[in-house]
Amino acid sequence: SQQGEEDPQALSIQEGENATMNCSYKTSINNLQWYRQNSGRGLVHLILIRSNEREKHSGRLRVTLDTSKKSSSLLITASRAADTASYFCATDENSGYALNFGKGTSLLVTP
Amino acid sequence: NAGVTQTPKFQVLKTGQSMTLQCAQDMNHEYMSWYRQDPGMGLRLIHYSVGAGITDQGEVPNGYNVSRSTTEDFPLRLLSAAPSQTSVYFCASSYYRGRGIGYGYTFGSGTRLTVV
């Protein structure tokens, strides 16, 4: 069943601002991943953070993981219009490898 | 270009018809999976496989069959299409090195299926 839940469901910001999305899950995980989906396209893998890691960076992306709170956050710094997309978190809670996806956060970045 | 190829991109079926959604990857990934994406529901796992000859059910397997005869291919069969199977279907693949060792998925571009 779906485990990761993103918050907020929708986020609207202006170019140059930072965007923060949160993800919560219910049981123990080995890793948590974030994906981006542009309208009408497949998902693209952004970043993977393992349960023994607390923070990870990739370009303008910063992901944190708090296993005690069972939550993660994705920060996109200096947002651009091209960052407009849906963002999903996914965890391997149930099987240790098959990913369960949340319902996503829809991000709109306006010029 | 290396990646996951899904065919067809669009399909309209009549209720009761059967069809196969194709998925092929050329990255030598052991793990392959099928998801369906519906508005407001996110992605739900249908079936997955950790290697040739091995398949398992996900969250919503009813009405779908899979087989994995080769590493490259993981077709999804709709046995008797129903309007509730109207959805966008995504195939995804990744390396598999055992439970708990995660890798990022590579997704196909999706098949948009309408059952009337």
Side-chain angles (χ1 to χ4, degrees):
Chain A
S1 61
Q2 290 178 305
Q3 300 294 339
E5 292 293 336
E6 295 89 345
D7 172 64
Q9 290 186 340
L11 181 61
S12 182
I13 60 173
Q14 292 190 316
E15 271 191 327
E17 294 181 336
N18 296 341
T20 299
M21 288 158 267
N22 303 297
C23 171
S24 61
Y25 57 93
K26 296 178 182 175
T27 62
S28 63
I29 62 171
N30 298 289
N31 68 84
L32 184 145
Q33 305 186 30
W34 285 92
Y35 288 79
R36 183 188 74 234
Q37 183 180 34
N38 292 94
S39 181
R41 309 290 292 272
L43 280 74
V44 174
H45 178 253
L46 296 176
I47 200 163
L48 180 154
I49 187 165
R50 303 195 188 280
S51 59
N52 60 353
E53 298 175 310
R54 292 297 168 258
E55 188 170 309
K56 209 161 182 182
H57 296 256
S58 177
R60 294 183 295 113
L61 306 181
R62 172 180 168 247
V63 169
T64 61
L65 178 64
D66 187 333
T67 53
S68 66
K69 295 181 179 178
K70 294 185 173 54
S71 67
S72 173
S73 67
L74 170 67
L75 169 67
I76 305 174
T77 60
S79 295
R80 306 166 181 168
D83 293 327
T84 293
S86 292
Y87 292 81
F88 295 86
C89 74
T91 69
D92 63 350
E93 275 181 274
N94 294 326
S95 70
Y97 46 91
L99 290 181
N100 299 294
F101 286 81
K103 297 179 181 180
T105 291
S106 178
L107 173 65
L108 174 63
V109 182
T110 55
Chain B
N1 291 334
V4 177
T5 302
Q6 289 185 240
T7 56
K9 293 191 183 304
F10 301 93
Q11 183 71 48
V12 178
L13 285 180
K14 293 183 179 179
T15 297
Q17 286 185 318
S18 62
M19 78 160 294
T20 299
L21 279 62
Q22 302 291 345
C23 175
Q25 53 91 10
D26 58 3
M27 298 168 285
N28 209 29
H29 283 169
E30 298 89 353
Y31 180 82
M32 297 185 75
S33 55
W34 278 101
Y35 289 87
R36 59 177 288 175
Q37 184 175 34
D38 302 293
M41 297 293 291
L43 280 83
R44 292 182 291 171
L45 182 63
I46 305 172
H47 286 285
Y48 58 96
S49 167
V50 297
I54 305 169
T55 63
D56 208 345
Q57 297 181 351
E59 178 186 0
V60 288
N62 292 340
Y64 307 95
N65 268 356
V66 291
S67 60
R68 185 94 180 270
S69 56
T70 67
T71 300
E72 295 78 19
D73 301 297
F74 192 44
L76 178 71
R77 298 182 187 84
L78 278 69
L79 308 174
S80 177
S84 60
Q85 294 179 303
T86 294
S87 187
V88 181
Y89 291 84
F90 288 101
C91 179
S93 72
S94 76
Y95 292 111
Y96 176 70
R97 295 292 181 270
R99 186 183 296 268
I101 303 173
Y103 292 90
Y105 285 12
T106 300
F107 277 81
S109 58
T111 294
R112 190 172 297 273
L113 175 68
T114 301
V115 182
V116 298

